[in-house]
Amino acid sequence: MRQIKHLFIFSALVLLMGFSFSNFLGIYHQTILALCGINIILAVSLNLVNGFTGQFSLGHAGFMAVGAYVSAALTTLWLPTLTNPFLMTEIGVNLFFLFALLAGGIAAGLTGFLVGVPSLRLKGDYLAVVTLGFGEIIRIFILNIEPIGGARGLIGIPQLSNLYWIFGFVLLICIWIHRIVSSIPGKQFMAVRDDETATSAMGLSTTRIKVRSFVYASFFAGIAGGLFAHYIAYLNPATFNFNYSFQIVAMVVLGGMGSLTGSVAAAILLTGLLEALRPLQDLTGVDLRMVIYALTLIVLMLTRPEGMFGRHEIWEFFKKFKKSPQGFVR
Amino acid sequence: MKALEIKNLGIQFGGLKAVQNVSLHVNEYELVGLIGPNGAGKTTLFNLITGIYKPTTGSVEMDGKNIAGLSSFEITNECFGARTFQNIRLFKDLSVLENVLVSSHKKIDYNLWSVLFDTQHYRNSEKKIREEAMELLKIFSLDSKADEIAKNLPYGDQRKLEIVRAMSTKPKILFLDEPAAGMNEHETLQLLNLVRFVREKYKIGILVIEHDMKFIMGLCERIYVLDHGQLIAEGRPEEIRSNKDVIKAYLGEEETNTAVRSNLHGR
Ligand SMILES: Nc1ncnc2c1ncn2[C@@H]1O[C@H](COP(=O)(O)OP(=O)(O)OP(=O)(O)O)[C@@H](O)[C@H]1O
Ligand SMILES: [Mg+2]
């Protein structure tokens, strides 16, 4: 019963968001919104690893790339060869897209497992180094596979993604990750973050917990990749470079490591900021965007080093506000 | 069966023999003390027993099982040993209740899907596990603070929570590393009663490291003394108090420092 009610509210919300975004906005703003949505998924999922589990991953764009290319290969290369009449229908194509998205997510999750197991077994910041390298390796790997476009990029991807799909997944993934971190297994992620030695003394394999968190995050990044590929309809390996991974980390840190709503806010803010600065670049002719972007980050981190929301969710601030007249400043 | 049996245990860090040839045991339902000057190797011994360090020589048996080849978390699960730490290691940003919940992995009977789809089974199961954890907190009168963040607790309660958290793994032997460190006399007395209570209620063996002689002498039935990584004495509190080697270890070589002697006899 409860699930049916939730499903109903969920569908209504997605339809409302999808409808209003697609009908009251121009193409340009729609694209920015789509990017916001995709970045929200990336930031929220990376927060699972970097914020909640306390491991530092620097290669999230790499997992996104795996999801993007796997799903796009399925819809671009495989789908046209299938002759099943059902796949010619609107519903059939969309179901195939859902399948391709999940396949991309699973491929990214598996890659996460392969990268995570060796690097997460070790204590310390090995993960940062390994994921940094992995992000580059996967990019160069894709660069050299001709059937999916190689360095030229993959063109002709069917434009199956839209704001309904994207914000449906944004909502779903935010809810899912919130449920995960509220459950006891989610508390184990935070236990690892707070003290690994004590966590193993509690009878828990910290490696297993870290790998689990990492695989979930990679899966969601893969989904984001699929949504991205079928929205832009073109993939270029250069998109998934270190710069993109770094931007996602910046969103997580800025929003607050361990705050989902913080990640959402920061993803919107930073994506919006980058786009808003685009005209400036056209005006001056030099790329001032990254300079201003970096300055904004520095100023924000100096004024609030724990990120905008710290480890709190936005609704906790309202609760505290009600309780104490001094507000939430601690 | 003995709760803990250590034979010829040793570990070397580079040239430093931090623990050498140590053999000791703890019976079921026995309260044993481990004392020794700073740097004697007491914590290192705990780290060996709980799998944080791997010994260079010797063996450790807990609950009849040899810990060789087991990692730290397996020792907790399979040999039923739990510990606290000299420097408090709580999950500082989790609530009191959540600190205790972390160890309930054996009770989790739902999978990822039921979490994602928030099923009734998941809800019931989490509710039951949380209620059990609350009961444990109640036993130690921490239930009124269940929702407080661990790092915001007063010092004495943090030490206490660490013991409760260790008990949440349902151990058969408990290792306490300087539980009274930093406590005033009143808190130390409460701790003494707490440790006795744990032993009586759960009928488990306990091995305590402590520098506070009054605490150790008042609490333990048997005491081991470690110095420079080696056991130099074993016996009942009154025997340890008058043992020449022990006094010497605490005094240094030749001095006769009455202050330390009186410390050995309790303040
Ligand atoms: N990982 C390590 N690497 C190198 N040396 C170590 C390591 N751990 C402990 N030691 C050394 O082993 C010796 C014993 O240390 P340990 O912490 O066991 O002493 P302790 O008896 O617990 O002292 P205290 O009463 O001060 O807590 C010390 O000299 C310490 O420096
Ligand atoms: Mg010590």
Side-chain angles (χ1 to χ4, degrees):
Chain A
M1 228 13 246
R2 201 180 61 247
Q3 265 99 347
I4 298 173
K5 196 177 91 192
H6 286 175
L7 185 67
F8 186 76
I9 299 173
F10 176 78
S11 317
L13 266 175
V14 173
L15 288 177
L16 185 74
M17 282 197 292
F19 182 80
S20 45
F21 293 163
S22 341
N23 288 285
F24 303 129
L25 291 173
I27 293 290
Y28 173 63
H29 289 109
Q30 281 188 29
T31 307
I32 296 175
L33 260 181
L35 286 178
C36 274
I38 285 155
N39 286 339
I40 289 173
I41 298 177
L42 291 167
V44 165
S45 58
L46 185 67
N47 205 336
L48 207 51
V49 176
N50 290 26
F52 290 95
T53 319
Q55 309 301 304
F56 211 76
S57 167
L58 271 174
H60 218 42
F63 298 102
M64 181 193 183
V66 173
Y69 270 93
V70 168
S71 62
L74 289 174
T75 55
T76 317
L77 305 177
W78 194 39
L79 183 61
T81 66
L82 298 176
T83 51
N84 189 326
F86 175 65
L87 288 177
M88 308 291 155
T89 64
E90 183 91 3
I91 296 178
V93 169
N94 277 296
L95 276 179
F96 188 88
F97 176 48
L98 181 62
F99 154 76
L101 281 177
L102 292 178
I106 289 168
L110 276 177
T111 319
F113 182 78
L114 294 178
V115 175
V117 167
S119 46
L120 289 165
R121 265 181 47 233
L122 308 164
K123 281 190 187 175
D125 289 330
Y126 293 93
L127 188 69
V129 179
V130 173
T131 47
L132 183 69
F134 159 75
E136 286 306 291
I137 290 170
I138 195 75
R139 202 170 55 76
I140 291 161
F141 186 69
I142 293 168
L143 216 58
N144 288 298
I145 308 180
E146 269 313 307
I148 51 170
R152 278 174 293 116
L154 181 59
I155 47 168
I157 303 170
Q159 206 184 9
L160 295 169
S161 185
N162 54 35
L163 290 169
Y164 291 91
W165 276 110
I166 291 174
F167 280 89
F169 271 105
V170 166
L171 205 57
L172 186 69
I173 289 172
C174 286
I175 292 170
W176 276 0
I177 293 183
H178 178 63
R179 282 180 179 167
I180 289 173
V181 297
S182 313
S183 70
I184 296 172
K187 299 302 165 196
Q188 295 172 351
F189 292 169
M190 297 172 223
V192 168
R193 170 193 71 194
D194 283 355
D195 200 312
E196 270 195 53
T197 308
T199 309
S200 11
M202 291 291 99
L204 292 160
S205 160
T206 52
T207 307
R208 205 170 298 160
I209 293 171
K210 288 186 278 183
V211 168
R212 193 180 298 151
S213 154
F214 196 62
V215 168
Y216 294 170
S218 310
F219 172 81
F220 293 131
I223 300 270
L227 290 167
F228 175 81
H230 294 84
Y231 193 87
I232 307 293
Y234 165 73
L235 283 180
N236 188 325
T239 309
F240 308 101
N241 56 12
F242 172 66
N243 201 11
Y244 199 171
S245 285
F246 173 75
Q247 280 179 31
I248 306 164
V249 172
M251 289 166 193
V252 174
V253 175
L254 177 66
M257 309 258 261
S259 169
L260 295 178
T261 38
S263 287
V264 173
I268 296 172
L269 188 76
L270 291 188
T271 314
L273 182 70
L274 271 187
E275 286 308 320
L277 291 174
R278 212 180 274 280
L280 188 73
Q281 187 188 356
D282 300 336
L283 209 68
T284 55
V286 278
D287 197 357
L288 281 176
R289 286 200 308 159
M290 279 301 149
V291 177
I292 295 178
Y293 185 88
L295 279 177
T296 313
L297 278 180
I298 290 168
V299 169
L300 280 166
M301 290 321 292
L302 281 178
T303 47
R304 269 192 88 79
E306 74 279 22
M308 294 192 296
F309 294 2
R311 276 178 184 171
H312 302 282
E313 298 302 346
I314 194 160
W315 49 83
E316 293 171 30
F317 292 112
F318 291 114
K319 252 190 259 164
K320 279 190 202 158
F321 228 34
K322 262 185 226 155
K323 258 193 233 154
S324 68
Q326 303 99 293
F328 52 76
V329 186
R330 298 196 297 166
Chain B
M1 195 173 31
K2 290 184 172 113
L4 173 73
E5 171 102 69
I6 295 177
K7 284 188 192 135
N8 308 324
L9 199 65
I11 189 169
Q12 210 165 334
F13 298 114
L16 176 78
K17 289 183 173 148
V19 171
Q20 310 179 47
N21 208 21
V22 169
S23 299
L24 59 77
H25 70 273
V26 176
N27 293 316
E28 286 174 347
Y29 187 63
E30 191 185 20
L31 244 167
V32 179
L34 178 61
I35 62 172
N38 290 108
K42 305 179 295 294
T43 300
T44 305
L45 191 69
F46 270 22
N47 287 342
L48 285 167
I49 298 171
T50 54
I52 294 175
Y53 297 152
K54 300 291 167 217
T56 16
T57 62
S59 68
V60 179
E61 259 182 33
M62 246 190 284
D63 193 41
K65 279 185 235 60
N66 196 315
I67 67 157
L70 298 181
S71 36
S72 185
F73 78 95
E74 292 167 323
I75 292 173
T76 310
N77 288 334
E78 295 167 28
C79 306
F80 307 100
R83 71 175 289 183
T84 65
F85 297 87
Q86 184 169 354
N87 311 308
I88 304 179
R89 282 173 172 269
L90 287 171
F91 305 127
K92 57 185 190 312
D93 282 305
L94 294 186
S95 73
V96 170
L97 179 67
E98 288 164 350
N99 263 274
V100 176
L101 279 176
V102 165
S103 66
S104 50
H105 53 289
K106 283 181 189 159
K107 297 180 195 154
I108 293 178
D109 58 352
Y110 51 79
N111 53 23
L112 176 62
W113 302 117
S114 50
V115 177
L116 297 184
F117 294 102
D118 195 19
T119 65
Q120 201 57 48
H121 171 66
Y122 159 69
R123 290 201 161 197
N124 294 340
S125 182
E126 281 246 338
K127 189 159 165 262
K128 197 168 141 256
I129 296 171
R130 278 167 197 267
E131 279 166 4
E132 282 171 17
M134 271 311 267
E135 255 154 52
L136 182 69
L137 290 181
K138 200 173 272 169
I139 292 173
F140 293 93
S141 337
L142 277 174
D143 51 323
S144 58
K145 302 189 171 176
D147 292 327
E148 275 186 47
I149 301 302
K151 68 177 172 198
N152 298 337
L153 287 179
Y155 184 78
D157 278 344
Q158 294 197 14
R159 285 270 179 214
K160 186 169 167 185
L161 177 57
E162 231 199 350
I163 296 176
V164 178
R165 187 183 65 175
M167 291 313 296
S168 75
T169 67
K170 298 201 166 49
K172 293 183 182 169
I173 182 161
L174 183 62
F175 302 100
L176 303 175
D177 195 347
E178 299 198 22
M183 285 189 171
N184 62 31
E185 208 144 335
H186 175 67
E187 288 169 324
T188 308
L189 190 66
Q190 284 185 327
L191 178 74
L192 193 86
N193 291 325
L194 178 74
V195 178
R196 281 192 183 133
F197 169 78
V198 168
R199 201 261 299 249
E200 291 309 317
K201 176 145 181 80
Y202 297 96
K203 309 277 185 257
I204 56 172
I206 300 179
L207 182 61
V208 197
I209 296 175
E210 191 44 71
H211 283 294
D212 185 330
M213 289 304 153
K214 198 172 156 196
F215 179 86
I216 278 282
M217 299 284 171
L219 182 68
C220 301
E221 283 125 28
R222 213 148 52 80
I223 295 172
Y224 288 100
V225 187
L226 201 63
D227 188 28
H228 294 296
Q230 284 174 304
L231 280 184
I232 56 166
E234 183 221 331
R236 282 175 284 118
E238 54 275 19
E239 292 169 348
I240 294 298
R241 219 174 262 159
S242 51
N243 185 305
K244 282 203 189 68
D245 292 335
V246 177
I247 296 170
K248 207 163 122 193
Y250 271 87
L251 291 179
E253 283 311 313
E254 61 266 28
E255 303 157 66
T256 39
N257 184 332
T258 43
V260 180
R261 191 189 294 269
S262 68
N263 184 18
L264 266 176
H265 285 79
R267 285 184 294 230

